[in-house]
Amino acid sequence: MIELQGVDFGWPDSRETLKDISLSLAPGEKTILLGANGSGKSTLLKLLNGLVTPGRGSYRYEGRAIDKASMADRQWLRRFRQEVVLLFQHPEAMLFNPTVRDEIAYGPQRLGWTNTDERVAYWADQLGLRPILDKAPFTLSGGQKQKVALASILILEPKVVLMDEPSASLDPRSVGWLVDFLLDTEATVVVSTHNLSMAAEFGTRCLVLGENGRLAYDGPVGPAMRDMQLLERCNLAHRHRHRHGAGEHTHLHGHEWESS
Ligand SMILES: Nc1ncnc2c1ncn2[C@@H]1O[C@H](COP(=O)(O)OP(=O)(O)OP(=O)(O)O)[C@@H](O)[C@H]1O
Ligand SMILES: [Mg+2]
């Protein structure tokens, strides 16, 4: 469904952000994407969403190359934008409609779908947004904005859902909803996270971006979580001093999670 081959990508004026990335994602596969700050998680998700295109190598979605030419094909782009969606790390970037209702309805309206009102009501109920449907998105809290952004992409019934740190600003109940959604949905999903304690709930396959923009790991999530050398090398686990009762000692930690 998604196929990257030897992809390099660099932002202008910066060293290569992604280097020689090859991977394929099968329909329905649930993958988590790990990596330290600045390792290129958001960049990779933007690339999968067609917002940037590979400098070298190729990205194919359902067999078709995603490049500047295909992104200029309006009909294809329309299909791609409905089927492959991205929840941004900072969802403010996505919200521009006067009300939450308009925001969620925007995609289906553009696609000319019928019964938009019912669809909006369904997703508003799913995410507990009904009480704030008439509010202006910019007046909402960070977590509320994230849920509005989530509703506005899931309403499109996408085949591929890319989520950039969705759990960072969601409360535990909303994260629980997200985990249930991921268990139920047939969509192919890639979720980036720093939250190692949640990683195994978000997916079964794990990609770790290491130094120099290369993939340091691609495999099942369990072994990756137990591989402290991998996690430390990729700056996902760290050593710091801390206290247990009266004593003080140092051992290796994952963020919000520890191995022993
Ligand atoms: N729009 C941009 N223009 C130029 N450089 C960028 C842009 N976005 C990201 N970068 C650079 O690309 C590199 C990777 O950034 P990216 O946002 O993909 O990392 P990340 O893994 O998502 O980090 P974080 O955990 O902090 O979200 C960084 O060096 C960053 O400065
Ligand atoms: Mg990021």
Side-chain angles (χ1 to χ4, degrees):
M1 174 161 234
I2 278 187
E3 188 112 38
L4 298 186
Q5 245 164 23
V7 167
D8 291 354
F9 176 80
W11 292 101
D13 306 324
S14 85
R15 61 172 180 76
E16 211 116 88
T17 306
L18 300 174
K19 186 73 191 157
D20 200 21
I21 306 277
S22 295
L23 59 95
S24 52
L25 303 176
E29 197 162 26
K30 308 290 184 280
T31 302
I32 60 157
L33 175 60
L34 302 176
N37 292 138
S39 61
K41 298 180 299 297
S42 297
T43 303
L44 179 56
L45 293 173
K46 284 178 182 166
L47 188 126
L48 294 174
N49 192 224
L51 297 174
V52 298
T53 50
R56 195 186 68 84
S58 67
Y59 168 21
R60 289 183 172 274
Y61 171 68
E62 299 214 316
R64 178 155 181 183
I66 301 302
D67 52 21
K68 292 201 171 70
S70 59
M71 289 290 107
D73 175 345
R74 282 181 160 265
Q75 211 175 346
W76 167 257
L77 186 62
R78 190 181 156 99
R79 174 182 156 194
F80 185 77
R81 289 273 165 262
Q82 183 248 314
E83 293 185 6
V84 182
V85 298
L86 169 63
L87 177 70
F88 281 79
Q89 185 167 7
H90 303 292
E92 290 81 9
M94 294 176 65
L95 308 175
F96 55 90
N97 281 283
T99 67
V100 168
R101 187 191 311 279
D102 296 330
E103 194 66 58
I104 302 172
Y106 181 78
Q109 276 167 355
R110 281 204 54 176
L111 291 166
W113 287 2
T114 52
N115 48 16
T116 303
D117 291 349
E118 281 163 48
R119 292 172 195 267
V120 170
Y122 173 80
W123 285 103
D125 283 343
Q126 284 291 305
L127 285 153
L129 298 172
R130 207 177 259 267
I132 56 168
L133 277 175
D134 295 313
K135 284 199 167 192
F138 73 87
T139 63
L140 304 178
S141 75
Q144 287 173 324
K145 284 179 187 162
Q146 195 132 25
K147 288 193 231 179
V148 173
L150 201 51
S152 72
I153 59 171
L154 296 182
I155 198 172
L156 295 173
E157 298 173 13
K159 290 189 184 174
V160 179
V161 181
L162 310 165
M163 300 189 192
D164 202 349
E165 311 250 3
S167 64
S169 51
L170 295 180
D171 58 35
R173 186 169 150 193
S174 306
V175 172
W177 179 88
L178 183 64
V179 169
D180 287 347
F181 168 79
L182 293 173
L183 286 173
D184 289 341
T185 183
E186 287 174 11
T188 307
V189 183
V190 184
V191 181
S192 83
T193 183
H194 282 124
N195 188 340
L196 296 190
S197 61
M198 291 300 297
E201 310 262 15
F202 289 149
T204 51
R205 175 173 170 188
C206 175
L207 302 172
V208 182
L209 280 170
E211 277 174 279
N212 310 322
R214 291 177 188 271
L215 267 188
Y217 181 89
D218 178 0
V221 69
M225 293 302 105
R226 290 188 291 274
D227 187 344
M228 290 310 284
Q229 279 182 342
L230 169 76
L231 298 178
E232 195 176 22
R233 186 156 41 85
C234 297
N235 293 317
L236 290 164
H238 61 110
R239 284 177 197 283
H240 68 189
R241 290 185 302 146
H242 75 148
R243 292 181 194 91
H244 283 301
E248 186 184 276
H249 72 154
T250 303
H251 68 128
L252 204 51
H253 275 269
H255 292 226
E256 306 170 40
W257 162 90
E258 42 191 274
S259 66
S260 58

